[in-house]
Amino acid sequence: MDEIYLAHSKKVYKYLLSLCNNQDIAEELTQETFYKAIKGIKKFRNDCSVNVWLCRIAKNTWIDYIKKEKQITLISIDNELENYIIENDIDNKDEMLDLYKQIHKLDEKTKEVFILRIKGELSFKEIGNILGQTEVWARITFYRGKMKLKEELK
């Protein structure tokens, strides 16, 4: 398990940080994720990569945390859209405000795909596995979300 921790802890931490946007909570949830992984290692069926399995555990751990704390965590989207902003030459405050408004109008699955892809640095295949979908679904969801943002901002 030490090898798994060393190989995957940074990715799990980055994923959790993208969900909660709080370093302390992400660290705590990362530890909890690996604790749960150790307890449930016999349940690992090897039908997906270890990284995807750990991210599933991390996501469920985060959801449990949110339920327990009864708090709504707003996800920062500054870093996720940096490339989009540069690509589309968005540089004034009003355009940025419009962009943020449009992102918050996206459905939850699309927002999650954006976060996992850009901030979590996961492949579309890994995103599909984490969300219980296919790689193609993750690609299409990301593309449609991006196109919807472009259309809304015109």
Side-chain angles (χ1 to χ4, degrees), residues 81-94:
L81 293 169
E82 185 176 338
N83 291 337
Y84 178 83
I85 292 164
I86 293 168
E87 179 181 305
N88 292 287
D89 197 29
I90 296 175
D91 58 0
N92 73 45
K93 193 172 185 174
D94 290 335

Side-chain angles (χ1 to χ4, degrees), residues 35-53:
Y35 173 74
K36 288 179 179 181
I38 290 168
K39 283 178 48 180
I41 193 74
K42 292 181 182 177
K43 294 179 185 178
F44 180 61
R45 296 183 308 259
N46 211 18
D47 59 344
C48 62
S49 72
V50 173
N51 189 50
V52 169
W53 178 65

